[in-house]
Structure formats: structure tokens, C-alpha cells
Amino acid sequence: MSFFEKLAIASRKNSSLLCVGLDPDPQMKLSNADNVVAFNSLIIKATVDLACAYKPNLAIYESMGIEGLSALQETLNLIRQADPCIPIIGDGKRGDIGTCSTAYAKTLLEDYDFDAVTVNPYMGSDALKPFLEHKEKGVFVLCRTSNPSGMQIQELMVVRGGVRRPLYQIVAELALSWNWNRNVGLVVGATYPEQISRVREICPDMLFLIPGVGVQGGSIEKTVRSAADTQGEGFIINVSRQIMYAAKTPIGTRSKDSEAMRKMRHVARQLRDEINSYLPSSLKKNLKQICQSHEDQANRGESYRQTESSVMATSGR
Amino acid sequence: MSFFEKLAIASRKNSSLLCVGLDPDPQMKLSNADNVVAFNSLIIKATVDLACAYKPNLAIYESMGIEGLSALQETLNLIRQADPCIPIIGDGKRGDIGTCSTAYAKTLLEDYDFDAVTVNPYMGSDALKPFLEHKEKGVFVLCRTSNPSGMQIQELMVVRGGVRRPLYQIVAELALSWNWNRNVGLVVGATYPEQISRVREICPDMLFLIPGVGVQGGSIEKTVRSAADTQGEGFIINVSRQIMYAAKTPIGTRSKDSEAMRKMRHVARQLRDEINSYLPSSLKKNLKQICQSHEDQANRGESYRQTESSVMATSGR
């Protein structure tokens, strides 16, 4: 199943445009790869029916060496066990040429079998081609990133066709030309909603991956209003730290794990619902219907209830 | 010892501005990580007194999974055993923000203890800061890369201070402002010598890492003439495939290994000498003196002879 099919299923099933980041940072004091997997397990159990996708950042896992790669693989297994239809985005921001780019694409899209990846556009299309050629996979090109220093490059005024525009808008245009397999998306930061609107004008149908809500301070309302396509969607919003940090004592005793999951689930549900609350009414209605049928199903004691009860239960480590 | 100190020592000791890339590609049919290490061992033995630096590209090793990371670590050990003063550049072209950038910097500059790395400027200075703060390490920022598609972004005309210039020149200027620890270098491709000249005008004292000679078709003469600083140097030229491909049957029997090393050494020596032949006479004289004293030493049966004989010997796998 392609990334876009999986995403459509998961977002409808869970009434969600919330992507959950899996990047346990040093502030969590997880100390080793086993603890990272255990912590990820809590997040996944707490959010698997609230998320439309998961996004581990490779940097965190690589920094733990060989054990970190195992932790990444175990995390992917946990997600796939929890829901084989929820897509996983490998956030590595890679970009290289020739055999090296081919090797990165193989690692991420074949070996780890990520459903989508993030890539850096600075080296142009031949650096991205090995990724783009995986038709079933999503390729999110960095466009206007959420960090303040992104402006040093991305807001530079470029003259093209007699018109001056910031570089990120040119990258958005280039992304259209790189979309021969219709598998390109863009990374735009919630911290710059006006820029998101400009990118949406250039790429009316392209999927946006949007970080920057939560700890980085981006507004969900502004983000949704600027990112929504003519159907009222076409974006997913990633949150990592705000959900993670809800679990102040992430792993320990059974009761602590249960409490951590409850808190993370509470934050994730609020985020999902807040995103949905700003969707245009047609989509909201649509999502509500799906949501209702999902609740009906849950009331019949099926998957939703299972997930709820797993949240209440301990992680079983 | 800092990257720049190591590089000065190695380049003088070996009369060399040749960086040897260690990226065995699929065309070499090395089939597994053990073979990659064995092959790297041949390259290192064949070139350790001819190179000023080594540059493994992370993509190749990552694509072999956990065994690949071990192969990378073993390769670094082999280089350090062969010459503890020769610097090693980790070519990963990383760029991310916050804890993720910090994690990448830790992995590459602390855990692997690379002497220098390559980074991508698209996300601006806060993505590079965790690397730049390692004062003893070199940080090579992608500027005008050697691949044709690099132009799609890097040659875009940017208006800044009332003047129109291509983006790569702005990146070169920004690199000056990111150089608060005097540890920034630039990646410029040998395939674009005119652009190298422009970057040299902007950054008269900055070290350039130059790929694109050999298989990619860049001219050594044009590269040296455009890259040399006022001292006649300030650059290193990386060659990977041209040296690797000289060994057509890279690993196998003792006699084949010996033959492969002889061929790789021959190509590496030719490349080193060709680079040196275009250096300004003052530096050439200087290098010649060092070279002469090095030859004298070799004649006294010391390190040079040892290396030569190791080339003749088998790899001892």
C-alpha cells in the first residue's frame, strides 16, 4: 500500500491530521536505547488511534550507535504491530548525489521500509531522484522550515522570470517539477503561517508536513487556515515534544507508565481535536461521520475500546 | 589535535592536497561489510603516505545496516592505526535543528570522532551551530556542489544589498559569518572552476573541500588555479571512484590484492603529483623540499619504505 493510501486510511479512521513525532530527547533522561523503545511503546499505545502518522527523527537513534539502530527498528515494529496501516515518516533530511543518494534511499525506503522521508533540496533534483523513483513512497522536501535561522537562506529574494520572490517559493515551484511520480510533499513550519499560505497558492494539491506547533510556538488555528487545500485538508501537523513532555516520569513503575500514557493521550487527543475544530465545515462533517462510525464500532467493543484499555493497562515491560 | 593542525601536518608530510574518498560503491561488488573493510584496508595501505585526508561517505555504510556501522568504525580504526595524524572527514551532509542537530553533531564529532564533517546550509545557522561549536573540528558547508542539478538551487539569482548574485555566493558570505570559531570550510565542485574562483574571492582564507575530479570530469589544472588562496593552497581535492576503480579485482587472492593496491597507489600518486604540479612555484618549492626530505628519510629505510613494502605485501586478511 502506498504512503498516500495509508495516510488516507489512517487519517479517516482516526479522524486525525496529527503526526506524532518519536524523538525522545536528552531532556527525557531515558539513558539508553532500551528505555527509548519502552518510552516509544508508551507513546504509540497512547496515540495509535489518535494519530494519522508517526515520525521518528533518525538523529536521535543514530546518536545511540548500533543499539540506536536496533531501537529504531524495534520502534517501527511496534508501530506496525499496533496498526499496519498507519504510515511512518523517516525524518533524516538527507541529500547527496549518485551512489550515495541511492544508498540513502535504499536504507530508508527499502531496509527500514519507511512510508515517507524528508529530504533537503539544496543539491537539486539529481540528489532527490533515487528517493522520488520510489513511486509508492512519500518524499517531503524541506521548503520553509520552522526554525528562525531558516530565513537566512529560505527567505533570500530570488529573481526569476522577472519577478522577485523568496527562495522557499522557488523551492515550492521546483517541487512541482520534481513531482513526476506524484509522491512529493513539502515541509513548511507552523511558525510561519503566512509563508504556508504562499506555498499553498503555488502548490494547491500538495501534501504539507508541518512541524513547529507546541514547544516551537506555532498556532494550530493559523496553521490550519493557511495550510488547508481546496478540500480543506492536504496537510498533517507533527508534534513531538508537547506530547512527550506530558509524560513527566516516562518510564518506571506500572502505575507511573499508566499515568504517563494517560497524560500523553490527553494532550494528543486535544491536539487532534483542536486541529479538527478549525477544518472547514464540510470536512469536519465528513470527519465527524467517520468519527461517529468509529465510535459506534468502539461501542461494539472493537478496536477503539482495545486501544483505550491498553492505555489504561501498563506497558507490560 | 585540531582538524586544521592534523591537515597541515599530513599535507606537508605527504606533500599532498589529495583527499581519498572511502565510499566503495555497488559497482565494486564487495557484497558485504567485511569485504568493504578489507577493500578499505587495501586503499588505506596503498595511499596513507600520499593522502592529506580520508573521507568516508556515511550513506554507503548506513546502507549496510548495523554491520555497516561496524565497518565504518573498523575503517576509522584502520586509518588511525596507519597514521594517527591524518584527518578523517565524515561526509554526511547533515542539517537539522535543536536536539536533532545536537544529536548528529554528537554522533559524528564525538562518537565517531571525525575530524571534520560536511553539512547542508539550507536550514541556516541554528542547524549548524552544534557542529560549529566543536572548535577543534572542521565544518564543511555545501556551497556549489559538483553535480549538475546543484544549479537548480545554488545558481538562482539572489538580490541582496542591491546586487544580484547566485545563491552559492551568498552561502559563501554566510559561511564567513558562521566562522566565529574559525573552523568553517566550503564544499565546491571541481566541475565548476569559475564558480570556485568567485567563492575564493569572497572567502580568501577559507579551506575548500573539492569533489568532482576524476569520474565526474573536473579538471585538476583548472581546479587548482581557481581554488588556490594567496599562499597557493587552501584547498583539498577529493577523489573516490578514480582510485577505487583502478582496482578492478579488489579483493581475492594475495596476488590480486597486491596488484589492486599497486594500481590504486599508482593512480593516487599521479593525482597527488598532478595537483602539486599546478601549485605556484613558491609552494611547489616548499613542498619539493619537504618531499625531498621525505625521500631522504625513505632512503634511510624509514616510514616511506615501510609503506612501499606494505603495498607490495598482501593485505593479510
Side-chain angles (χ1 to χ4, degrees):
Chain A
M1 204 186 304
S2 79
F3 165 66
F4 293 93
E5 288 167 331
K6 276 189 172 182
L7 185 65
I9 291 171
S11 64
R12 257 80 191 143
K13 187 169 129 194
N14 298 336
S15 309
S16 176
L17 301 174
L18 174 69
C19 175
V20 175
L22 294 171
D23 333 316
D25 83 9
Q27 196 171 320
M28 302 306 296
K29 293 180 181 145
L30 295 170
S31 75
N32 66 45
D34 285 346
N35 286 350
V36 164
V37 174
F39 182 55
N40 284 347
S41 169
L42 297 186
I43 304 182
I44 294 160
K45 285 182 187 160
T47 61
V48 71
D49 66 330
L50 298 171
C52 68
Y54 287 99
K55 182 177 77 59
N57 188 302
L58 297 175
I60 303 296
Y61 301 89
E62 287 180 16
S63 71
M64 293 180 286
I66 286 169
E67 288 179 4
L69 297 197
S70 299
L72 175 58
Q73 188 59 62
E74 282 185 67
T75 299
L76 302 185
N77 295 346
L78 287 173
I79 298 169
R80 287 169 187 146
Q81 282 160 17
D83 184 347
C85 277
I86 205 160
I88 313 175
I89 304 165
D91 190 3
K93 302 179 175 70
R94 297 294 196 255
D96 210 313
I97 57 165
T99 51
C100 296
S101 184
T102 302
Y104 278 132
K106 173 195 168 285
T107 306
L108 298 175
L109 299 176
E110 296 176 27
D111 299 345
Y112 285 118
D113 198 18
F114 282 115
D115 301 292
V117 286
T118 57
V119 296
N120 190 310
Y122 191 73
M123 298 179 78
S125 60
D126 58 25
L128 308 183
K129 207 171 165 219
F131 296 94
L132 299 171
E133 283 176 347
H134 286 75
K135 294 181 187 181
E136 301 290 293
K137 306 292 190 174
V139 183
F140 288 100
V141 177
L142 299 184
C143 180
R144 179 61 178 97
T145 57
S146 59
N147 60 315
S149 296
M151 69 163 286
Q152 292 173 348
I153 303 281
Q154 299 157 25
E155 298 275 356
L156 288 169
M157 293 306 288
V158 174
V159 185
R160 205 178 180 225
V163 186
R164 282 187 191 201
R165 275 169 310 160
L167 175 61
Y168 75 87
Q169 295 183 18
I170 310 294
V171 169
E173 279 187 0
L174 285 168
L176 289 173
S177 74
W178 297 336
N179 199 15
W180 59 78
N181 279 328
R182 302 198 58 71
N183 60 348
V184 175
L186 290 169
V187 176
V188 286
T191 38
Y192 301 99
E194 283 184 31
Q195 284 85 334
I196 298 179
S197 298
R198 298 291 86 71
V199 179
R200 178 52 78 205
E201 287 165 13
I202 297 164
C203 303
D205 303 317
M206 201 169 270
L207 182 65
F208 296 171
L209 169 60
I210 307 180
V213 152
V215 174
Q216 290 184 69
S219 145
I220 289 182
E221 180 175 4
K222 286 184 186 168
T223 299
V224 174
R225 297 204 191 288
S226 52
D229 64 17
T230 52
Q231 307 299 310
E233 45 185 344
F235 64 92
I236 59 178
I237 295 180
N238 184 75
V239 180
S240 302
R241 285 175 282 179
Q242 194 179 352
I243 295 172
M244 273 196 299
Y245 292 174
K248 279 181 187 162
T249 51
I251 48 170
T253 62
R254 286 183 164 218
S255 62
K256 278 188 181 171
D257 285 358
S258 176
E259 179 63 16
M261 285 171 73
R262 210 188 308 266
K263 287 177 178 170
M264 291 193 288
R265 180 169 179 77
H266 178 69
V267 171
R269 190 200 292 266
Q270 277 190 322
L271 286 163
R272 178 196 71 165
D273 292 346
E274 189 182 346
I275 295 168
N276 289 347
S277 73
Y278 298 118
L279 295 176
S281 56
S282 59
L283 182 67
K284 209 152 48 179
K285 197 177 158 196
N286 183 23
L287 280 174
K288 219 172 191 172
Q289 282 169 347
I290 297 160
C291 202
Q292 188 55 49
S293 101
H294 192 56
E295 294 282 343
D296 291 347
Q297 193 186 35
N299 290 339
R300 290 195 304 276
E302 287 174 41
S303 68
Y304 189 76
R305 188 180 296 255
Q306 285 167 24
T307 310
E308 280 289 332
S309 67
S310 83
V311 171
M312 298 309 152
T314 61
S315 72
R317 275 173 307 102
Chain B
M1 206 187 302
S2 80
F3 166 66
F4 293 93
E5 287 167 333
K6 277 189 171 181
L7 184 65
I9 290 171
S11 64
R12 256 80 192 143
K13 187 169 132 194
N14 297 338
S15 310
S16 175
L17 301 174
L18 174 69
C19 175
V20 174
L22 294 171
D23 334 316
D25 83 8
Q27 197 171 320
M28 301 307 295
K29 294 182 180 140
L30 295 170
S31 75
N32 66 46
D34 285 346
N35 286 352
V36 164
V37 174
F39 181 55
N40 284 346
S41 169
L42 297 186
I43 304 181
I44 294 161
K45 284 182 186 161
T47 60
V48 71
D49 66 330
L50 298 171
C52 68
Y54 287 100
K55 183 177 76 62
N57 188 302
L58 296 175
I60 303 298
Y61 302 89
E62 287 179 17
S63 72
M64 293 180 286
I66 286 169
E67 287 179 4
L69 297 198
S70 298
L72 176 57
Q73 188 58 62
E74 282 184 67
T75 299
L76 302 186
N77 295 345
L78 287 172
I79 298 168
R80 288 169 186 147
Q81 281 160 19
D83 184 348
C85 277
I86 206 160
I88 313 175
I89 303 166
D91 190 3
K93 302 178 176 70
R94 297 295 196 255
D96 211 311
I97 58 165
T99 50
C100 296
S101 185
T102 302
Y104 278 132
K106 172 195 170 285
T107 306
L108 298 174
L109 299 177
E110 296 176 28
D111 299 346
Y112 285 118
D113 198 18
F114 282 115
D115 301 292
V117 286
T118 57
V119 295
N120 189 308
Y122 190 72
M123 297 180 79
S125 60
D126 58 25
L128 308 183
K129 207 173 165 219
F131 296 95
L132 299 171
E133 283 177 346
H134 286 76
K135 294 183 187 181
E136 301 289 293
K137 306 293 190 174
V139 183
F140 288 101
V141 177
L142 300 183
C143 180
R144 179 63 178 97
T145 57
S146 59
N147 60 314
S149 296
M151 68 162 288
Q152 291 173 346
I153 303 278
Q154 299 157 25
E155 298 275 357
L156 289 169
M157 293 306 288
V158 174
V159 185
R160 206 180 181 222
V163 186
R164 280 188 192 201
R165 275 169 310 161
L167 176 61
Y168 75 88
Q169 295 184 18
I170 310 293
V171 169
E173 279 187 358
L174 284 168
L176 289 172
S177 74
W178 297 335
N179 199 15
W180 58 78
N181 279 329
R182 302 198 58 73
N183 59 349
V184 175
L186 290 169
V187 176
V188 286
T191 37
Y192 301 99
E194 283 184 32
Q195 283 85 334
I196 298 178
S197 299
R198 297 291 85 70
V199 178
R200 179 52 79 205
E201 287 166 13
I202 296 164
C203 303
D205 303 317
M206 203 169 267
L207 182 64
F208 295 171
L209 169 61
I210 307 180
V213 152
V215 173
Q216 291 184 67
S219 146
I220 289 182
E221 179 175 5
K222 285 182 187 170
T223 299
V224 173
R225 298 206 191 286
S226 53
D229 64 17
T230 51
Q231 308 297 311
E233 44 185 344
F235 64 91
I236 59 178
I237 295 179
N238 184 75
V239 180
S240 303
R241 285 175 283 181
Q242 195 179 351
I243 296 171
M244 274 196 299
Y245 292 173
K248 279 179 188 166
T249 50
I251 49 170
T253 62
R254 286 182 164 221
S255 62
K256 278 188 181 170
D257 286 357
S258 177
E259 179 63 15
M261 285 170 71
R262 211 187 309 264
K263 286 176 177 168
M264 292 193 288
R265 180 170 179 78
H266 177 70
V267 171
R269 190 201 291 267
Q270 277 190 324
L271 286 163
R272 177 196 72 164
D273 293 346
E274 189 181 346
I275 295 168
N276 288 347
S277 75
Y278 298 119
L279 295 176
S281 56
S282 57
L283 183 68
K284 206 153 50 180
K285 196 176 159 197
N286 183 23
L287 281 172
K288 218 172 191 171
Q289 282 169 347
I290 297 161
C291 204
Q292 189 54 51
S293 101
H294 192 58
E295 294 281 345
D296 291 348
Q297 192 187 34
N299 290 338
R300 289 196 304 277
E302 289 176 39
S303 68
Y304 189 75
R305 187 180 295 254
Q306 285 167 21
T307 309
E308 281 287 334
S309 66
S310 83
V311 171
M312 299 307 155
T314 60
S315 72
R317 272 173 308 103

